[in-house]
Amino acid sequence: MGKKLIFLDIDGTLTEPGANIPPQSAIEAIRKAQAAGNLVFLCTGRNYAMLKPLLRYEFDGMVAGAGGYVTCGDEVLFDCPMEDEQTQTALEALHKNGVFCTLETKEVTYGDENLGDFLSGQAEGNSEIERWRKALSSELNIHPMSEYDGAPAYKIVIMCLRMEQLDEARALLEKDFNFVLQDIPAHGCINGELINRKYDKGRGVQRVAEYLGVPLSDTYGFGDSMNDLEMIRTVGTSVCMANGSESLKKESDLICPAVSEDGLYQAFEQLGLF
């Protein structure tokens, strides 16, 4: 039996949203899968800086920045930041319309200084919002936007109260960027991210599989939110966490227990990955 490639989203899948320590059962599942000859990759919207605390768990590579930075072992397979002009156009149009932003370069994440005040009034339950709420309180080390030094950016995360606040940015950028929005709660904010149309998590999976000569039928993807959609549609076997998006569940082959209920271990075992 050939080796399998396993791709794991982080927030809401491998860890509780915004956290950097997976459940012990998930670490055990990863170790067992690797011991069985399979390879396990992070497949995340996080940039390299924000996923770095998880590298101590010895993954075999990463699809980072929602597909903008892809590695296998020590090899960089793909590296595609935004053009400087695109970054400036996006930030100007979003800020002009009162949209709160975080900007991700490879090594640093920058956030609007008043984002914490905005988030403190939002409802619980959205994994992306929970991630940023925790990040701003310490764990992910977000720097003030005023410190942004012009380094190449891979992604902009957006939060606002009304969809029309995005209209100007969409008119300027939607030809080059996909505005990936999370399922909108009945009460709460709109949140999502601008993803370059040159890549996505699914194409990141393809790049790794092609590099290793592994058919997509032998790939497995685990996610929880709509920014995992392309990965879920690309892999041979797709799994959504029970704590995940209802829309993503409809797209997935399997629903496993929540991250907090040893879901990854149970799914790995059910799928024969160790």
Side-chain angles (χ1 to χ4, degrees), residues 90-137:
L91 289 176
E92 287 171 14
L94 292 165
H95 284 151
K96 191 165 83 173
N97 288 280
V99 178
F100 294 86
C101 302
T102 56
L103 179 72
E104 297 180 12
T105 68
K106 183 183 175 190
E107 298 292 347
V108 183
T109 297
Y110 300 91
D112 287 334
E113 281 85 339
N114 52 351
L115 183 57
D117 297 334
F118 178 72
L119 289 184
S120 65
Q122 300 308 315
E124 304 285 324
N126 179 306
S127 74
E128 294 298 308
I129 292 177
E130 288 303 300
R131 166 187 156 186
W132 292 110
R133 194 197 309 270
K134 291 181 182 180
L136 284 156
S137 63

Side-chain angles (χ1 to χ4, degrees), residues 14 52 54 68 93 144 168 181 197 273:
L14 176 63
K52 196 180 291 185
L54 289 148
E168 183 176 354
L181 303 178
R197 292 188 185 276
L273 295 173

Side-chain angles (χ1 to χ4, degrees), residues 173-236:
L173 295 161
E174 206 154 28
K175 68 181 188 302
D176 295 320
F177 292 87
N178 186 15
F179 283 61
V180 180
L181 303 178
Q182 300 301 322
D183 294 343
I184 300 169
H187 304 286
C189 76
I190 297 158
N191 71 292
E193 48 204 359
L194 274 64
I195 306 291
N196 199 317
R197 292 188 185 276
K198 291 179 180 177
Y199 56 77
D200 54 51
K201 285 187 177 183
R203 279 180 278 180
V205 168
Q206 287 178 318
R207 287 184 168 100
V208 173
E210 287 170 9
Y211 176 75
L212 292 170
V214 173
L216 286 174
S217 58
D218 286 337
T219 61
Y220 295 73
F222 293 76
D224 74 303
S225 69
M226 290 306 284
N227 64 7
D228 297 312
L229 182 62
E230 288 82 5
M231 172 185 72
I232 290 296
R233 287 178 171 174
T234 299
V235 294

Side-chain angles (χ1 to χ4, degrees), residues 4 6-10 13-15 21-42 54-61 222 263-269 273-274:
K4 315 293 187 186
I6 302 162
F7 295 85
L8 303 177
D9 173 54
I10 297 176
T13 301
L14 176 63
T15 70
I21 301 176
Q24 189 58 40
S25 63
I27 297 169
E28 187 179 344
I30 291 163
R31 292 285 167 273
K32 285 186 170 183
Q34 290 171 323
N38 302 313
L39 302 181
V40 184
F41 296 82
L42 294 172
L54 289 148
L55 295 182
R56 64 193 175 109
Y57 299 107
E58 298 180 3
F59 291 93
D60 296 294
F222 293 76
L264 285 184
Y265 188 96
Q266 293 184 54
F268 275 40
E269 188 172 42
L273 295 173
F274 54 72

